[in-house]
Amino acid sequence: MDADASTERAQYSNENGPAARGGRERWRMIMTASVGNFAEWYDWGIYGVVATLIAQQFFPAGNSALALVGAYAIFAIAYLTRPFGTVVFGHIADSLGRPKALTFTIVLTCTSTAMIGFIPTYASIGAAAPLLLVLCRLIQSLGTGGEHATAIAFVYEHGASGKKAKAVGMLSALTLAGLLSGTLLATGLSAILPDGAWTSWGWRVLFWLSLPMGLIGLYVRRNARDGEEFRQVKNHQRRKAALRSSPVLEAIRTSWRKILVFVAFLGTWSIVSAIVTSYLATFLKQNHALTQAQAYGANTTASASAVVFVLLFAPVVDRVGLSRATVIASIFVAAAIVPGFLLAGTNLAGAYLGAVLLGMAKGVLAVPSLLAVSQIFPARFRVSAGGLSYNLAASALGGTAPLVAVALNEIFGSSLGFSCYIVAAALVTLVIALTVGRRWMTESAEHPGSLAR
């Protein structure tokens, strides 16, 4: 391990860590990041909730299956700018501080999301409609690519020693609550508005609401400040006149093997998150045993279950450690996905039970996956390295997951094809957690306040 990293740990071990600060201040900072994250992930989630309507509005009429594939293809294309978001905002976060990066990302994401609500339909402007949709989604993804890794690092560094998972769990719960709010609003508006109003303009309200949400998040973040660990690293580097000009390049130079392995490690989370967030609503609406309101209701149940199980599992992660928690979560996902989707494709009771299982899988997997994004890498390039791992996995596997699900569902005529795809990803994460990942998690015990066991 390099001398700078050793010096960083020695420097930090001789100073008071985050636990020395008042608990109220610490949790205020965690909520600061989380509330803004709520707004940004509301933005990201509503696309999946109304994907079938987007297919109808922005693609030629006559082939609904092809239009849906087009809508999810744009969903996948948008992920291409996520790694670039890491490069841009990871540099800002690791060089200038986490709060500065979080300010830029929330403005970018919420503005581009609101603009989707103003795009005219395909019937009005033709091929320009999907092109404008792609542009808005690419800008939105750029902001999201920098937001989440920065927010995770921010709350990790503000979390008390021995309670890092609880801090990340709070962020994860409010992130999922942002996604949940989109499904709740879609359920309420689709039930209140006449069918014609909902399908013609009502769905656009979901996107317009991102502007006031973003303003609230920006206001809450106005007094955010970096955590003690990151401030110690920057002070040490300034005294040595060693402030890196490019944390991203340093991360690639010193940790490229670890980054690549953690792309595969985070694959399960990327797939499960995208499937439950952005494909489950479509899957449920294709179940002819359910009305549209019942499908939205089951989808909302999945999101609510995910929030509940994030909060329940976070203290467990603090007790058993990151490695063991990842093993538990991977096994649970592998066991729950197939019956979850099989049940969701049956009757009303089965749809709700299946939605609960799928939400549980997402909730249990969230905390160890996102905790690893920050814990595995040192503070001086934590956002850059963790963000690259997270966003490369999201781009390659998360962005394509709904498209793969649609394709496999068409080929096999059931949910078994893409369910087995998710199981295979969970087994890859399990193997990494039991082998090289376990060693890296153990080594990360040398970072302050980690959970390596």
Side-chain angles (χ1 to χ4, degrees), residues 192-217:
I192 293 169
L193 295 174
D195 285 342
W198 167 245
T199 56
S200 64
W201 61 267
W203 62 272
R204 295 178 182 271
V205 175
L206 298 177
F207 291 90
W208 295 335
L209 286 174
S210 67
L211 277 180
M213 286 188 182
L215 289 173
I216 293 170

Side-chain angles (χ1 to χ4, degrees), residues 10 38 46 84 116 142 145 154 162 194 196 202 207 228 265 296 342 349 362 386 406 416 418 422:
F38 173 98
I46 53 178
F84 295 103
I116 293 175
L142 186 72
F154 186 86
F207 291 90
E228 183 70 17
F265 175 88
Y296 277 132
L342 286 175
K362 182 177 178 179
V406 170
L416 283 175
F418 65 84
I422 299 172

Side-chain angles (χ1 to χ4, degrees), residues 4 34 263 295 347 411:
D4 282 346
S34 300
V263 170
N347 54 27
I411 292 170

Side-chain angles (χ1 to χ4, degrees), residues 33 89-90 93 97-99 101-102 105 145-155 374 383:
F89 297 109
R98 318 318 194 194
L102 291 173
T105 58
E147 160 71 21
H148 207 41
T150 306
I152 294 167
F154 186 86
V155 301
S374 281
V383 176

Side-chain angles (χ1 to χ4, degrees), residues 41-399:
W41 284 88
Y42 164 84
D43 297 348
W44 190 256
I46 53 178
Y47 185 94
V49 173
V50 296
T52 53
L53 291 175
I54 286 173
Q56 295 169 15
Q57 298 282 327
F58 297 140
F59 292 89
N63 190 330
S64 58
L66 185 61
L68 186 60
V69 169
Y72 279 127
I74 289 178
F75 181 87
I77 290 169
Y79 275 81
L80 293 176
T81 53
R82 276 204 180 189
F84 295 103
T86 297
V87 172
V88 173
F89 297 109
H91 176 85
I92 294 171
D94 286 331
S95 298
L96 304 177
R98 318 318 194 194
K100 286 185 173 61
L102 291 173
T103 298
F104 286 119
T105 58
I106 196 168
V107 171
L108 199 63
T109 304
C110 293
T111 302
S112 57
T113 299
M115 293 307 298
I116 293 175
F118 293 101
I119 299 174
T121 64
Y122 186 91
S124 300
I125 60 172
L131 290 176
L132 287 172
L133 179 61
V134 169
L135 178 62
C136 287
R137 288 286 292 173
L138 288 172
I139 297 171
Q140 183 191 54
S141 183
L142 186 72
T144 305
E147 160 71 21
H148 207 41
T150 306
I152 294 167
F154 186 86
V155 301
Y156 179 87
E157 289 160 2
H158 278 284
S161 180
K163 295 183 179 179
K164 298 287 188 181
K166 186 177 179 182
V168 172
M170 179 65 70
L171 175 72
S172 302
L174 283 171
T175 297
L176 297 178
L179 300 173
L180 173 60
S181 67
T183 62
L184 286 172
L185 285 169
T187 302
L189 284 173
S190 64
I192 293 169
L193 295 174
D195 285 342
W198 167 245
T199 56
S200 64
W201 61 267
W203 62 272
R204 295 178 182 271
V205 175
L206 298 177
F207 291 90
W208 295 335
L209 286 174
S210 67
L211 277 180
M213 286 188 182
L215 289 173
I216 293 170
L218 191 62
Y219 176 79
V220 169
R221 285 180 172 178
R222 73 194 188 285
N223 293 322
R225 64 172 187 162
D226 285 308
E228 183 70 17
E229 180 183 358
F230 183 75
R231 293 204 305 272
Q232 293 288 346
V233 170
K234 293 297 104 179
N235 288 339
H236 170 67
Q237 290 180 346
R238 288 189 185 99
R239 283 195 292 270
K240 291 185 62 179
L243 187 62
R244 270 74 173 180
S245 60
S246 178
V248 174
L249 292 180
E250 186 191 0
I252 294 171
R253 179 177 58 82
T254 62
S255 304
W256 65 269
R257 292 182 182 85
K258 191 179 294 187
I259 290 170
L260 288 178
V261 170
F262 270 89
V263 170
F265 175 88
L266 292 167
T268 309
W269 167 248
S270 297
I271 294 169
V272 169
S273 179
I275 287 292
V276 177
T277 298
S278 300
Y279 176 71
L280 181 58
T282 298
F283 180 82
L284 290 165
K285 281 189 280 187
Q286 291 173 338
N287 182 349
H288 299 299
L290 306 178
T291 66
Q292 177 175 270
Q294 289 169 340
Y296 277 132
N299 188 57
T300 302
T301 300
S303 296
S305 298
V307 173
V308 170
F309 278 88
V310 161
L311 296 174
L312 289 176
F313 196 59
V316 176
V317 180
D318 275 322
R319 286 196 298 270
V320 305
L322 177 56
S323 179
R324 292 173 190 166
T326 303
V327 170
I328 294 168
S330 300
I331 292 173
F332 184 83
V333 169
I337 287 295
V338 172
F341 271 107
L342 286 175
L343 285 166
T346 58
N347 54 27
L348 179 61
Y352 274 82
L353 182 57
V356 169
L357 268 177
L358 295 171
M360 288 173 63
K362 182 177 178 179
V364 168
L365 186 62
V367 178
S369 298
L370 299 181
L371 183 66
V373 171
S374 281
Q375 181 178 310
I376 298 303
F377 301 101
R380 69 186 188 278
F381 54 73
R382 176 169 286 148
V383 176
S384 298
L388 276 178
S389 299
Y390 180 86
N391 288 306
L392 287 173
S395 299
L397 298 168

